[in-house]
Amino acid sequence: MKKKIDSLLCDLDGVLTKTADLHARAWKLLFDDLLEQASEGTLGVGQKFVIATDYPKFIDGKPRLEGIRSYLKARKLDIPEGDKDDPAEMKTVHGLGKKKNQLFHKLLNAEGVKIYAASIKAITAWKNKGLKIAVVSSSKNCLSILQSAGIEQLFDAIVDGNVAQEKGLAGKPEPDVFLYAAFLLQTNPKNAAVAEDAAVGIEAAKRGKFALSIGILKENNARILLKSEADVTVRDLSEITYTGESMRYPLSLEKLDHACLSEYHISRSLQLYEPVFFFDYDGTLTPIVAHPEDALLSQATRERLKTLSERASVAVISGRDKDDVKKLVGLENIFYAGSHGFDIEGPGSVTHHVPHAQDIMRSVIKATALLQEKLQATDGVQIEPKKFAVAVHYRNTPKDLWQEVREVCQQVADQFSNLKNSEGKMVMELRPDVDWDKGKAMEWVAGKLGVQSPQFHYFYMGDDFTDEDAFRALPENGTGILVGSHEGYTYADYHVKGPEEIDQLLTSFINIIQKHRMDV
Ligand SMILES: O=P(O)(O)OC[C@H]1O[C@H](O[C@H]2O[C@H](CO)[C@@H](O)[C@H](O)[C@H]2O)[C@H](O)[C@@H](O)[C@@H]1O
């Protein structure tokens, strides 16, 4: 799914820097000390501060003093508010705030600032594509943390605990700090995304009516965050892509619209742009069947694909061996990418192979022999050798042996430095350990077709995990359609039930293109 976004507002601790852990430990030192005194009878009831539950529930994301008040209230500890000049030793809300800050700095000086490298790498790339970025943190230590981490230059605006105090902005879950950051970036909340690891931050993004709220999952916030109303939850920002205009993010299948309900969007894309079609084969053009050799394309679908290829560019990007899928589809003048894109052939003798092809082919042959030897006695296993990969099917194997099959594949893969083990629908595959996938194959084919400018619109249709690489890589003018389902999240925009509905879509594509060409 994708949404138009021009700005990103990022929380700091737990999203960009690993300082949330330091904060949590400083809070624990503070409250455990206080609670110990309480148990001696001087104050309320005695208990320990539990980072895993108390931190996300009462403290995370809130301004320092509000965190203190909220925890004290929950523990029924009656501590006076005190005065902002109270020293750290005083048992007042202000005194405790100072002490927490001292404890935090002690840990920070001892351990330094660690960053979430994958998220920083992602936002650095997005900034280069024109995304405006602000850091929005309740922490008054925000600037010094950014400087220690050496990342302050990434941000077009900083709204921290000091700015909030100076401007009189309410803390999260009120949306004020995010709205002020949007104002500084000169953007409208309906064009901005918020990335937060705390439930109160997600709540603030919702109250501020921001376009997209991104929850960052960590070990200690999963329960609370998943209950929050985050539009999407990811482990880090590298799970999100940015086209320069939109963010593409993973969702569960149930949240996608059916492609037929989106006929308006699809028709418009077909009318406004030159369409380019990319199809996966198994599970997309043909139903999944018990044996790979029985997955035959129907003559009706072949005819429709042929008609479509006479009106637009068409490519089939498959996990199968290239020559195998070419034979099964049986059409000239279209691109075929086999072995998950490692082996490509297009009209006019255009070809692409994985680098170090000979070495990889040698490894695949050896790995295939090993797999055959180790799995020959395993009931129902079918080994499918290809030029640049080998597939081990276990669809017809008794369930209690599946894990064993997966383990054998991993053991064999571990013996080859140039192969890696990957997973598809009831199939394990050893394929080249190269940074290349169906998404990169799609881009490569698009380059050869000369369709990389904004006047074109890509449609990618696929059913398996490996097709997610292509959905992720779709450009701004791109529509991903998930066929059927797989067990993970999807980056597609729409879904259809199965290959029979892809067949109907093919008819719609042809009719819409034809009608539009007659109209103009
Ligand atoms: O990328 P694709 O074109 O979808 O190819 C992925 C794999 O498809 C085939 O296996 C799958 O389909 C079989 C026939 O329906 C089914 O029996 C098997 O369980 C599925 O995993 C193909 O045999 C593999 O080589 C492809 O990698």
Side-chain angles (χ1 to χ4, degrees):
M1 179 62 73
K2 72 173 192 290
K3 240 181 209 173
K4 293 254 187 220
I5 297 290
D6 66 19
S7 305
L8 173 68
L9 317 180
C10 265
D11 178 31
L12 177 71
D13 303 301
V15 174
L16 301 174
T17 58
K18 296 189 181 170
T19 37
D21 169 55
L22 299 184
H23 279 294
R25 280 154 57 206
W27 283 114
K28 180 163 174 60
L29 289 169
L30 178 84
F31 285 128
D32 280 357
D33 182 42
L34 186 73
L35 291 162
E36 207 174 294
Q37 294 176 36
S39 67
E40 285 163 9
T42 50
L43 297 161
V45 281
Q47 229 170 328
K48 289 264 180 211
F49 181 85
V50 183
I51 288 180
T53 47
D54 291 338
Y55 182 68
K57 194 162 174 195
F58 303 113
I59 309 284
D60 197 8
K62 293 181 187 166
R64 197 185 306 158
L65 298 183
E66 280 178 37
I68 295 175
R69 289 182 197 114
S70 127
Y71 185 72
L72 293 178
K73 190 171 165 211
R75 293 286 164 263
K76 299 197 172 52
L77 290 172
D78 192 16
I79 299 229
E81 185 69 15
D83 182 84
K84 68 176 177 29
D85 295 325
D86 285 353
E89 295 70 36
M90 270 186 86
K91 293 282 172 291
T92 61
V93 169
H94 286 272
L96 289 172
K98 278 214 185 93
K99 185 158 181 210
K100 148 65 185 34
N101 204 32
Q102 287 177 356
L103 292 165
F104 173 72
H105 276 277
K106 217 167 151 188
L107 290 170
L108 189 67
N109 291 337
E111 300 180 25
V113 176
K114 296 190 188 81
I115 57 165
Y116 285 103
S119 291
I120 300 287
K121 190 174 168 203
I123 63 171
T124 306
W126 300 347
K127 189 178 171 66
N128 291 334
K129 289 183 176 176
L131 188 73
K132 294 179 279 185
I133 306 172
V135 62
V136 181
S137 168
S138 302
S139 172
K140 290 187 171 175
N141 297 304
C142 179
L143 189 58
S144 63
I145 291 173
L146 291 176
Q147 286 165 340
S148 302
I151 53 171
E152 73 276 19
Q153 78 292 343
L154 266 178
F155 304 99
D156 303 294
I158 296 176
V159 177
D160 63 7
N162 302 306
V163 175
Q165 189 175 35
E166 192 189 308
K167 299 283 173 193
L169 305 172
K172 304 165 192 176
E174 292 306 323
D176 302 26
V177 282
F178 287 122
L179 292 173
Y180 186 61
F183 164 76
L184 292 179
L185 293 181
Q186 300 190 329
T187 189
N188 188 313
K190 69 177 195 294
N191 299 323
V194 168
E196 261 288 351
D197 68 325
V200 284
I202 296 296
E203 174 67 30
K206 289 279 153 195
R207 291 190 194 179
K209 301 199 173 1
F210 283 85
L212 185 65
S213 56
I214 305 168
I216 307 289
L217 280 172
K218 295 187 318 227
E219 318 77 52
N220 66 351
N221 73 347
R223 206 173 46 85
I224 285 192
L225 197 62
L226 291 172
K227 269 206 294 192
S228 78
E229 286 182 28
D231 296 316
V232 52
T233 46
V234 290
R235 276 156 306 181
D236 62 58
L237 292 173
S238 71
E239 289 182 39
I240 292 187
T241 63
Y242 186 59
T243 64
E245 285 179 52
S246 295
M247 280 187 179
R248 189 172 276 284
Y249 51 95
L251 285 182
S252 60
L253 164 68
E254 304 78 61
K255 296 208 173 149
L256 297 190
D257 279 342
H258 191 281
C260 297
L261 295 173
S262 319
E263 219 175 308
Y264 172 74
H265 165 88
I266 291 177
S267 314
R268 249 178 86 80
S269 305
L270 286 166
Q271 287 159 4
L272 292 178
Y273 308 99
E274 289 285 323
V276 186
F277 297 96
F278 298 91
F279 296 91
D280 162 53
Y281 184 79
D282 291 278
T284 298
L285 289 173
T286 60
I288 293 289
V289 290
H291 298 285
E293 62 276 17
D294 296 333
L296 302 177
L297 190 69
S298 75
Q299 189 52 28
T301 304
R302 181 175 297 107
E303 286 302 327
R304 283 189 251 287
L305 265 182
K306 183 169 183 292
T307 310
L308 190 68
S309 70
E310 285 157 4
R311 287 158 177 73
S313 298
V314 171
V316 176
I317 302 187
S318 170
R320 284 183 182 255
D321 193 75
K322 189 249 298 157
D323 291 340
D324 179 25
V325 72
K326 186 177 174 189
K327 197 164 146 214
L328 286 165
V329 174
L331 295 177
E332 297 300 322
N333 296 321
I334 69 169
F335 269 83
Y336 291 98
S339 300
H340 301 288
F342 286 105
D343 187 10
I344 311 181
E345 180 190 314
S349 309
V350 178
T351 56
H352 174 78
H353 287 151
V354 60
H356 311 294
Q358 294 300 328
D359 289 346
I360 288 177
M361 280 160 68
R362 269 192 289 274
S363 294
V364 166
I365 290 169
K366 282 187 199 156
T368 306
L370 276 174
L371 289 165
Q372 275 160 345
E373 182 194 315
K374 287 175 187 282
L375 292 168
Q376 62 181 345
T378 310
D379 191 14
V381 164
Q382 184 171 357
I383 295 179
E384 180 192 358
K386 321 177 200 188
K387 197 165 174 185
F388 294 113
V390 49
V392 177
H393 296 273
Y394 58 93
R395 183 172 294 280
N396 306 309
T397 301
K399 199 171 179 184
D400 56 328
L401 297 175
W402 291 358
Q403 189 52 23
E404 191 187 314
V405 174
R406 292 191 193 115
E407 281 166 16
V408 168
C409 292
Q410 189 59 53
Q411 283 158 16
V412 173
D414 288 344
Q415 296 181 38
F416 298 89
S417 59
N418 55 1
L419 297 183
K420 68 178 171 197
N421 196 16
S422 62
E423 204 169 343
K425 285 186 170 167
M426 310 299 288
V427 65
M428 302 303 295
E429 296 210 45
L430 271 58
R431 54 167 163 155
D433 190 6
V434 174
D435 183 21
W436 189 263
D437 51 38
K438 285 187 170 190
K440 297 216 164 68
M442 176 180 75
E443 284 166 358
W444 189 91
V445 170
K448 290 292 160 198
L449 288 168
V451 297
Q452 283 170 315
S453 64
Q455 84 199 69
F456 295 93
H457 189 102
Y458 301 7
F459 287 88
Y460 187 99
M461 284 140 282
D463 73 312
D464 212 340
F465 307 117
T466 54
D467 297 303
E468 292 299 328
D469 294 320
F471 292 140
R472 268 182 71 112
L474 280 166
E476 180 60 27
N477 281 344
T479 300
I481 302 175
L482 179 70
V483 188
S485 63
H486 58 64
E487 276 163 18
Y489 285 84
T490 180
Y491 287 84
D493 300 282
Y494 304 112
H495 79 98
V496 293
K497 282 199 197 114
E500 60 293 348
E501 290 193 343
I502 282 293
D503 202 51
Q504 291 165 18
L505 261 187
L506 280 171
T507 309
S508 303
F509 290 153
I510 293 166
N511 291 341
I512 296 166
I513 296 172
Q514 204 146 302
K515 180 167 182 314
H516 177 61
R517 292 201 179 147
M518 274 159 53
D519 288 349
V520 287

